[in-house]
Amino acid sequence: MERTDRQSRTGRWRRGRGARLAVSAVVAVLVAVAGPAQGGPRAAAAAPSDDGVSAAERYGWGTPLPDGTDEFDYGSPSQPAPPDPAKWETAGDSDGCWPGNGGHGQRCPQNARVVGGVLEEVGDGDGTTGWLASRFGQQYGRWEARVRSYPTGAGAAWTYHPLLILWPDSESWPQDGEYDYLEDEVPGGDCAQANIHYPQDAGVPTQQESAQKCGVDMTQWHDVAVEWTPDHVTGYLDGAEWYSFSGGADDVRRCVQCAGSLHQTLQLDAVRDNDTDPVQSAVYEVDWARVYALS
């Protein structure tokens, strides 16, 4: 499906740390975080491990920056913990749930919890989901996260999109760019996808480069990374280069690697035409999220 078609259905795909929509005076009842259905992918899959090869290991990126890194080594199945507030902003920090992607559904703090050493973002069938934004930003650097996703429901035409995003610290979108270094159209699909947005003029069609790698079981753990330098934006999947983009400036956009300072967001976005259609429930898990400086 063409990107322009999806945009016409949903409006803006996502909003950054401060670009939330106004919250209505009456907030819908918060939906408690529920675990995956019995017998679902999480019940059958092995616990997280670091037996894969990460880009950081393969290319010697050094020690992660502590301010932007979270191993999620807290919380428990019996006592889920909120993400570390020193490192993350969650939806509804002070004013309840926020409107969701494109204004559909809502983002609620209860739907982003650390459970037994893994961050879980839970997307419910009514469009209630989680959202997380790092408090650490930088211009240029490297980001990597170990993730997986999977549906927990069936029978709905619309789905959630698991994302790893670098969003402008300035909140100036699209002028300061946006790097969706993972942007899957369905949870637990067999393709990894990315959309790297140019810093561009407002009021013109979306300017971006896209990549897709199929034959990948996204219900299993994968290390997804991006390296952003003054010369390029390069993506990695399980330590192997996946895509690389550079240049491309014209009369409505700057070069693809010419974004301003960016911070990471972890998102499970509901995509649907309206607020009444059900969404296939899903879970998006993050074992760890690490940030590196350019050496």
Side-chain angles (χ1 to χ4, degrees), residues 54 56-57 60-71 87 136 138 142-144 288-293:
S54 71
E57 294 170 330
W61 288 353
T63 302
L65 300 174
D67 289 348
T69 293
D70 201 335
E71 301 295 326
K87 296 185 176 184
F136 174 83
Q138 62 182 1
R142 300 169 174 120
W143 287 257
E144 188 162 33
W288 45 256
R290 299 169 183 162
V291 182
Y292 302 83

PDB file of all heavy atoms in Angstrom, residues 54 56-57 60-71 87 136 138 142-144 288-293:
ATOM      1  N   SER A  54      24.765  -8.002  17.748  1.00  0.00           N
ATOM      2  CA  SER A  54      24.277  -6.644  17.598  1.00  0.00           C
ATOM      3  C   SER A  54      25.244  -5.841  16.735  1.00  0.00           C
ATOM      4  O   SER A  54      26.424  -6.176  16.609  1.00  0.00           O
ATOM      5  CB  SER A  54      24.129  -5.981  18.970  1.00  0.00           C
ATOM      6  OG  SER A  54      25.402  -5.704  19.529  1.00  0.00           O
ATOM      7  N   ALA A  56      26.323  -2.936  17.502  1.00  0.00           N
ATOM      8  CA  ALA A  56      27.302  -2.347  18.415  1.00  0.00           C
ATOM      9  C   ALA A  56      28.469  -3.291  18.661  1.00  0.00           C
ATOM     10  O   ALA A  56      29.635  -2.863  18.701  1.00  0.00           O
ATOM     11  CB  ALA A  56      26.626  -1.981  19.737  1.00  0.00           C
ATOM     12  N   GLU A  57      28.164  -4.572  18.818  1.00  0.00           N
ATOM     13  CA  GLU A  57      29.231  -5.554  19.026  1.00  0.00           C
ATOM     14  C   GLU A  57      30.061  -5.733  17.756  1.00  0.00           C
ATOM     15  O   GLU A  57      31.292  -5.758  17.801  1.00  0.00           O
ATOM     16  CB  GLU A  57      28.632  -6.892  19.453  1.00  0.00           C
ATOM     17  CG  GLU A  57      27.966  -6.869  20.816  1.00  0.00           C
ATOM     18  CD  GLU A  57      27.175  -8.133  21.103  1.00  0.00           C
ATOM     19  OE1 GLU A  57      26.654  -8.745  20.146  1.00  0.00           O
ATOM     20  OE2 GLU A  57      27.068  -8.493  22.280  1.00  0.00           O
ATOM     21  N   GLY A  60      31.996  -2.342  17.004  1.00  0.00           N
ATOM     22  CA  GLY A  60      32.762  -1.730  18.071  1.00  0.00           C
ATOM     23  C   GLY A  60      32.328  -0.326  18.427  1.00  0.00           C
ATOM     24  O   GLY A  60      33.142   0.595  18.483  1.00  0.00           O
ATOM     25  N   TRP A  61      31.032  -0.148  18.714  1.00  0.00           N
ATOM     26  CA  TRP A  61      30.510   1.172  19.019  1.00  0.00           C
ATOM     27  C   TRP A  61      30.876   1.643  20.422  1.00  0.00           C
ATOM     28  O   TRP A  61      30.594   2.786  20.778  1.00  0.00           O
ATOM     29  CB  TRP A  61      28.990   1.192  18.832  1.00  0.00           C
ATOM     30  CG  TRP A  61      28.586   1.139  17.387  1.00  0.00           C
ATOM     31  CD1 TRP A  61      29.404   1.215  16.290  1.00  0.00           C
ATOM     32  CD2 TRP A  61      27.250   1.001  16.872  1.00  0.00           C
ATOM     33  NE1 TRP A  61      28.666   1.141  15.136  1.00  0.00           N
ATOM     34  CE2 TRP A  61      27.337   0.996  15.453  1.00  0.00           C
ATOM     35  CE3 TRP A  61      25.999   0.874  17.457  1.00  0.00           C
ATOM     36  CZ2 TRP A  61      26.222   0.884  14.630  1.00  0.00           C
ATOM     37  CZ3 TRP A  61      24.884   0.749  16.652  1.00  0.00           C
ATOM     38  CH2 TRP A  61      24.987   0.759  15.241  1.00  0.00           C
ATOM     39  N   GLY A  62      31.428   0.784  21.238  1.00  0.00           N
ATOM     40  CA  GLY A  62      31.881   1.209  22.554  1.00  0.00           C
ATOM     41  C   GLY A  62      30.813   1.074  23.625  1.00  0.00           C
ATOM     42  O   GLY A  62      29.885   0.274  23.521  1.00  0.00           O
ATOM     43  N   THR A  63      30.942   1.883  24.666  1.00  0.00           N
ATOM     44  CA  THR A  63      30.059   1.814  25.827  1.00  0.00           C
ATOM     45  C   THR A  63      28.809   2.656  25.599  1.00  0.00           C
ATOM     46  O   THR A  63      28.906   3.810  25.172  1.00  0.00           O
ATOM     47  CB  THR A  63      30.792   2.330  27.072  1.00  0.00           C
ATOM     48  OG1 THR A  63      31.976   1.556  27.272  1.00  0.00           O
ATOM     49  CG2 THR A  63      29.904   2.232  28.309  1.00  0.00           C
ATOM     50  N   PRO A  64      27.613   2.111  25.878  1.00  0.00           N
ATOM     51  CA  PRO A  64      26.392   2.908  25.713  1.00  0.00           C
ATOM     52  C   PRO A  64      26.393   4.136  26.622  1.00  0.00           C
ATOM     53  O   PRO A  64      26.949   4.111  27.728  1.00  0.00           O
ATOM     54  CB  PRO A  64      25.279   1.931  26.115  1.00  0.00           C
ATOM     55  CG  PRO A  64      25.863   0.577  25.977  1.00  0.00           C
ATOM     56  CD  PRO A  64      27.319   0.723  26.290  1.00  0.00           C
ATOM     57  N   LEU A  65      25.755   5.196  26.159  1.00  0.00           N
ATOM     58  CA  LEU A  65      25.609   6.404  26.959  1.00  0.00           C
ATOM     59  C   LEU A  65      24.521   6.178  28.010  1.00  0.00           C
ATOM     60  O   LEU A  65      23.380   5.882  27.668  1.00  0.00           O
ATOM     61  CB  LEU A  65      25.227   7.583  26.066  1.00  0.00           C
ATOM     62  CG  LEU A  65      26.234   7.931  24.966  1.00  0.00           C
ATOM     63  CD1 LEU A  65      25.669   9.025  24.054  1.00  0.00           C
ATOM     64  CD2 LEU A  65      27.561   8.367  25.564  1.00  0.00           C
ATOM     65  N   PRO A  66      24.855   6.315  29.296  1.00  0.00           N
ATOM     66  CA  PRO A  66      23.886   5.943  30.334  1.00  0.00           C
ATOM     67  C   PRO A  66      22.616   6.780  30.323  1.00  0.00           C
ATOM     68  O   PRO A  66      21.536   6.260  30.630  1.00  0.00           O
ATOM     69  CB  PRO A  66      24.672   6.131  31.641  1.00  0.00           C
ATOM     70  CG  PRO A  66      25.831   6.993  31.296  1.00  0.00           C
ATOM     71  CD  PRO A  66      26.157   6.707  29.866  1.00  0.00           C
ATOM     72  N   ASP A  67      22.695   8.056  29.974  1.00  0.00           N
ATOM     73  CA  ASP A  67      21.498   8.900  30.011  1.00  0.00           C
ATOM     74  C   ASP A  67      20.445   8.469  28.996  1.00  0.00           C
ATOM     75  O   ASP A  67      19.254   8.677  29.213  1.00  0.00           O
ATOM     76  CB  ASP A  67      21.875  10.362  29.757  1.00  0.00           C
ATOM     77  CG  ASP A  67      22.620  10.986  30.924  1.00  0.00           C
ATOM     78  OD1 ASP A  67      22.638  10.376  32.007  1.00  0.00           O
ATOM     79  OD2 ASP A  67      23.195  12.073  30.748  1.00  0.00           O
ATOM     80  N   GLY A  68      20.869   7.873  27.883  1.00  0.00           N
ATOM     81  CA  GLY A  68      19.915   7.476  26.855  1.00  0.00           C
ATOM     82  C   GLY A  68      19.661   5.992  26.771  1.00  0.00           C
ATOM     83  O   GLY A  68      18.917   5.545  25.889  1.00  0.00           O
ATOM     84  N   THR A  69      20.257   5.212  27.681  1.00  0.00           N
ATOM     85  CA  THR A  69      20.208   3.751  27.612  1.00  0.00           C
ATOM     86  C   THR A  69      19.373   3.197  28.758  1.00  0.00           C
ATOM     87  O   THR A  69      19.439   3.682  29.885  1.00  0.00           O
ATOM     88  CB  THR A  69      21.628   3.175  27.680  1.00  0.00           C
ATOM     89  OG1 THR A  69      22.338   3.560  26.489  1.00  0.00           O
ATOM     90  CG2 THR A  69      21.625   1.658  27.796  1.00  0.00           C
ATOM     91  N   ASP A  70      18.575   2.176  28.461  1.00  0.00           N
ATOM     92  CA  ASP A  70      17.814   1.479  29.495  1.00  0.00           C
ATOM     93  C   ASP A  70      17.843  -0.013  29.194  1.00  0.00           C
ATOM     94  O   ASP A  70      17.428  -0.445  28.113  1.00  0.00           O
ATOM     95  CB  ASP A  70      16.368   1.981  29.539  1.00  0.00           C
ATOM     96  CG  ASP A  70      15.676   1.692  30.866  1.00  0.00           C
ATOM     97  OD1 ASP A  70      16.088   0.735  31.556  1.00  0.00           O
ATOM     98  OD2 ASP A  70      14.719   2.411  31.207  1.00  0.00           O
ATOM     99  N   GLU A  71      18.337  -0.797  30.144  1.00  0.00           N
ATOM    100  CA  GLU A  71      18.345  -2.254  30.010  1.00  0.00           C
ATOM    101  C   GLU A  71      17.015  -2.863  30.440  1.00  0.00           C
ATOM    102  O   GLU A  71      16.810  -4.069  30.275  1.00  0.00           O
ATOM    103  CB  GLU A  71      19.483  -2.856  30.847  1.00  0.00           C
ATOM    104  CG  GLU A  71      20.868  -2.352  30.466  1.00  0.00           C
ATOM    105  CD  GLU A  71      21.282  -2.756  29.067  1.00  0.00           C
ATOM    106  OE1 GLU A  71      20.906  -3.863  28.622  1.00  0.00           O
ATOM    107  OE2 GLU A  71      21.991  -1.962  28.404  1.00  0.00           O
ATOM    108  N   LYS A  87      14.613   8.705  32.657  1.00  0.00           N
ATOM    109  CA  LYS A  87      15.032   8.465  31.278  1.00  0.00           C
ATOM    110  C   LYS A  87      13.912   8.592  30.264  1.00  0.00           C
ATOM    111  O   LYS A  87      14.177   8.830  29.082  1.00  0.00           O
ATOM    112  CB  LYS A  87      15.659   7.071  31.172  1.00  0.00           C
ATOM    113  CG  LYS A  87      16.932   6.928  31.996  1.00  0.00           C
ATOM    114  CD  LYS A  87      17.590   5.581  31.788  1.00  0.00           C
ATOM    115  CE  LYS A  87      18.917   5.504  32.545  1.00  0.00           C
ATOM    116  NZ  LYS A  87      19.637   4.235  32.292  1.00  0.00           N
ATOM    117  N   PHE A 136      16.677  11.923  26.417  1.00  0.00           N
ATOM    118  CA  PHE A 136      18.029  12.192  25.928  1.00  0.00           C
ATOM    119  C   PHE A 136      18.012  12.383  24.425  1.00  0.00           C
ATOM    120  O   PHE A 136      17.503  11.544  23.679  1.00  0.00           O
ATOM    121  CB  PHE A 136      18.951  11.015  26.273  1.00  0.00           C
ATOM    122  CG  PHE A 136      20.333  11.143  25.691  1.00  0.00           C
ATOM    123  CD1 PHE A 136      21.307  11.885  26.329  1.00  0.00           C
ATOM    124  CD2 PHE A 136      20.654  10.522  24.481  1.00  0.00           C
ATOM    125  CE1 PHE A 136      22.581  12.013  25.788  1.00  0.00           C
ATOM    126  CE2 PHE A 136      21.923  10.637  23.936  1.00  0.00           C
ATOM    127  CZ  PHE A 136      22.889  11.391  24.589  1.00  0.00           C
ATOM    128  N   GLN A 138      20.427  13.933  20.873  1.00  0.00           N
ATOM    129  CA  GLN A 138      21.740  14.323  20.366  1.00  0.00           C
ATOM    130  C   GLN A 138      21.656  14.467  18.843  1.00  0.00           C
ATOM    131  O   GLN A 138      20.785  13.872  18.204  1.00  0.00           O
ATOM    132  CB  GLN A 138      22.819  13.303  20.735  1.00  0.00           C
ATOM    133  CG  GLN A 138      22.609  11.917  20.170  1.00  0.00           C
ATOM    134  CD  GLN A 138      23.682  10.916  20.596  1.00  0.00           C
ATOM    135  OE1 GLN A 138      24.603  11.227  21.343  1.00  0.00           O
ATOM    136  NE2 GLN A 138      23.559   9.689  20.117  1.00  0.00           N
ATOM    137  N   ARG A 142      24.367   6.765  17.450  1.00  0.00           N
ATOM    138  CA  ARG A 142      23.924   5.420  17.105  1.00  0.00           C
ATOM    139  C   ARG A 142      22.904   4.958  18.145  1.00  0.00           C
ATOM    140  O   ARG A 142      23.097   5.188  19.341  1.00  0.00           O
ATOM    141  CB  ARG A 142      25.120   4.460  17.062  1.00  0.00           C
ATOM    142  CG  ARG A 142      26.182   4.856  16.031  1.00  0.00           C
ATOM    143  CD  ARG A 142      27.435   4.036  16.213  1.00  0.00           C
ATOM    144  NE  ARG A 142      28.410   4.287  15.158  1.00  0.00           N
ATOM    145  CZ  ARG A 142      29.642   4.751  15.360  1.00  0.00           C
ATOM    146  NH1 ARG A 142      30.050   5.041  16.600  1.00  0.00           N
ATOM    147  NH2 ARG A 142      30.467   4.940  14.349  1.00  0.00           N
ATOM    148  N   TRP A 143      21.869   4.312  17.679  1.00  0.00           N
ATOM    149  CA  TRP A 143      20.815   3.791  18.542  1.00  0.00           C
ATOM    150  C   TRP A 143      20.593   2.326  18.174  1.00  0.00           C
ATOM    151  O   TRP A 143      20.624   1.952  16.999  1.00  0.00           O
ATOM    152  CB  TRP A 143      19.510   4.540  18.318  1.00  0.00           C
ATOM    153  CG  TRP A 143      19.446   5.936  18.861  1.00  0.00           C
ATOM    154  CD1 TRP A 143      18.801   6.346  20.004  1.00  0.00           C
ATOM    155  CD2 TRP A 143      19.979   7.141  18.284  1.00  0.00           C
ATOM    156  NE1 TRP A 143      18.920   7.710  20.171  1.00  0.00           N
ATOM    157  CE2 TRP A 143      19.652   8.223  19.129  1.00  0.00           C
ATOM    158  CE3 TRP A 143      20.739   7.394  17.135  1.00  0.00           C
ATOM    159  CZ2 TRP A 143      20.030   9.531  18.862  1.00  0.00           C
ATOM    160  CZ3 TRP A 143      21.132   8.694  16.863  1.00  0.00           C
ATOM    161  CH2 TRP A 143      20.775   9.747  17.713  1.00  0.00           C
ATOM    162  N   GLU A 144      20.315   1.496  19.187  1.00  0.00           N
ATOM    163  CA  GLU A 144      20.021   0.084  18.921  1.00  0.00           C
ATOM    164  C   GLU A 144      19.060  -0.421  19.984  1.00  0.00           C
ATOM    165  O   GLU A 144      19.154  -0.054  21.161  1.00  0.00           O
ATOM    166  CB  GLU A 144      21.299  -0.755  18.922  1.00  0.00           C
ATOM    167  CG  GLU A 144      21.076  -2.202  18.464  1.00  0.00           C
ATOM    168  CD  GLU A 144      22.364  -2.895  18.053  1.00  0.00           C
ATOM    169  OE1 GLU A 144      23.423  -2.581  18.648  1.00  0.00           O
ATOM    170  OE2 GLU A 144      22.315  -3.757  17.157  1.00  0.00           O
ATOM    171  N   TRP A 288      15.972  -4.211  25.571  1.00  0.00           N
ATOM    172  CA  TRP A 288      16.844  -3.100  25.951  1.00  0.00           C
ATOM    173  C   TRP A 288      16.861  -2.074  24.826  1.00  0.00           C
ATOM    174  O   TRP A 288      16.565  -2.392  23.676  1.00  0.00           O
ATOM    175  CB  TRP A 288      18.270  -3.548  26.289  1.00  0.00           C
ATOM    176  CG  TRP A 288      18.911  -4.547  25.351  1.00  0.00           C
ATOM    177  CD1 TRP A 288      19.084  -5.882  25.563  1.00  0.00           C
ATOM    178  CD2 TRP A 288      19.498  -4.291  24.054  1.00  0.00           C
ATOM    179  NE1 TRP A 288      19.711  -6.477  24.503  1.00  0.00           N
ATOM    180  CE2 TRP A 288      19.993  -5.522  23.567  1.00  0.00           C
ATOM    181  CE3 TRP A 288      19.667  -3.152  23.277  1.00  0.00           C
ATOM    182  CZ2 TRP A 288      20.631  -5.639  22.316  1.00  0.00           C
ATOM    183  CZ3 TRP A 288      20.288  -3.256  22.034  1.00  0.00           C
ATOM    184  CH2 TRP A 288      20.766  -4.489  21.577  1.00  0.00           C
ATOM    185  N   ALA A 289      17.214  -0.840  25.176  1.00  0.00           N
ATOM    186  CA  ALA A 289      17.367   0.251  24.206  1.00  0.00           C
ATOM    187  C   ALA A 289      18.655   0.981  24.581  1.00  0.00           C
ATOM    188  O   ALA A 289      18.776   1.475  25.701  1.00  0.00           O
ATOM    189  CB  ALA A 289      16.166   1.182  24.230  1.00  0.00           C
ATOM    190  N   ARG A 290      19.606   1.091  23.639  1.00  0.00           N
ATOM    191  CA  ARG A 290      20.929   1.648  23.927  1.00  0.00           C
ATOM    192  C   ARG A 290      21.260   2.768  22.936  1.00  0.00           C
ATOM    193  O   ARG A 290      20.866   2.701  21.769  1.00  0.00           O
ATOM    194  CB  ARG A 290      21.993   0.552  23.864  1.00  0.00           C
ATOM    195  CG  ARG A 290      21.760  -0.549  24.890  1.00  0.00           C
ATOM    196  CD  ARG A 290      22.640  -1.766  24.657  1.00  0.00           C
ATOM    197  NE  ARG A 290      22.341  -2.830  25.621  1.00  0.00           N
ATOM    198  CZ  ARG A 290      22.689  -4.107  25.463  1.00  0.00           C
ATOM    199  NH1 ARG A 290      23.359  -4.479  24.379  1.00  0.00           N
ATOM    200  NH2 ARG A 290      22.364  -4.996  26.367  1.00  0.00           N
ATOM    201  N   VAL A 291      21.996   3.730  23.429  1.00  0.00           N
ATOM    202  CA  VAL A 291      22.418   4.864  22.618  1.00  0.00           C
ATOM    203  C   VAL A 291      23.930   5.011  22.735  1.00  0.00           C
ATOM    204  O   VAL A 291      24.508   4.812  23.817  1.00  0.00           O
ATOM    205  CB  VAL A 291      21.731   6.169  23.090  1.00  0.00           C
ATOM    206  CG1 VAL A 291      22.151   7.338  22.199  1.00  0.00           C
ATOM    207  CG2 VAL A 291      20.228   6.014  23.068  1.00  0.00           C
ATOM    208  N   TYR A 292      24.564   5.359  21.612  1.00  0.00           N
ATOM    209  CA  TYR A 292      26.026   5.505  21.554  1.00  0.00           C
ATOM    210  C   TYR A 292      26.367   6.833  20.901  1.00  0.00           C
ATOM    211  O   TYR A 292      25.663   7.321  20.011  1.00  0.00           O
ATOM    212  CB  TYR A 292      26.650   4.376  20.725  1.00  0.00           C
ATOM    213  CG  TYR A 292      26.345   2.993  21.227  1.00  0.00           C
ATOM    214  CD1 TYR A 292      25.144   2.362  20.880  1.00  0.00           C
ATOM    215  CD2 TYR A 292      27.227   2.309  22.044  1.00  0.00           C
ATOM    216  CE1 TYR A 292      24.841   1.088  21.330  1.00  0.00           C
ATOM    217  CE2 TYR A 292      26.951   1.024  22.506  1.00  0.00           C
ATOM    218  CZ  TYR A 292      25.752   0.420  22.152  1.00  0.00           C
ATOM    219  OH  TYR A 292      25.462  -0.846  22.608  1.00  0.00           O
ATOM    220  N   ALA A 293      27.489   7.401  21.322  1.00  0.00           N
ATOM    221  CA  ALA A 293      28.044   8.564  20.633  1.00  0.00           C
ATOM    222  C   ALA A 293      28.831   8.103  19.427  1.00  0.00           C
ATOM    223  O   ALA A 293      29.267   6.936  19.344  1.00  0.00           O
ATOM    224  CB  ALA A 293      28.947   9.353  21.577  1.00  0.00           C
TER     225      ALA A 293
END
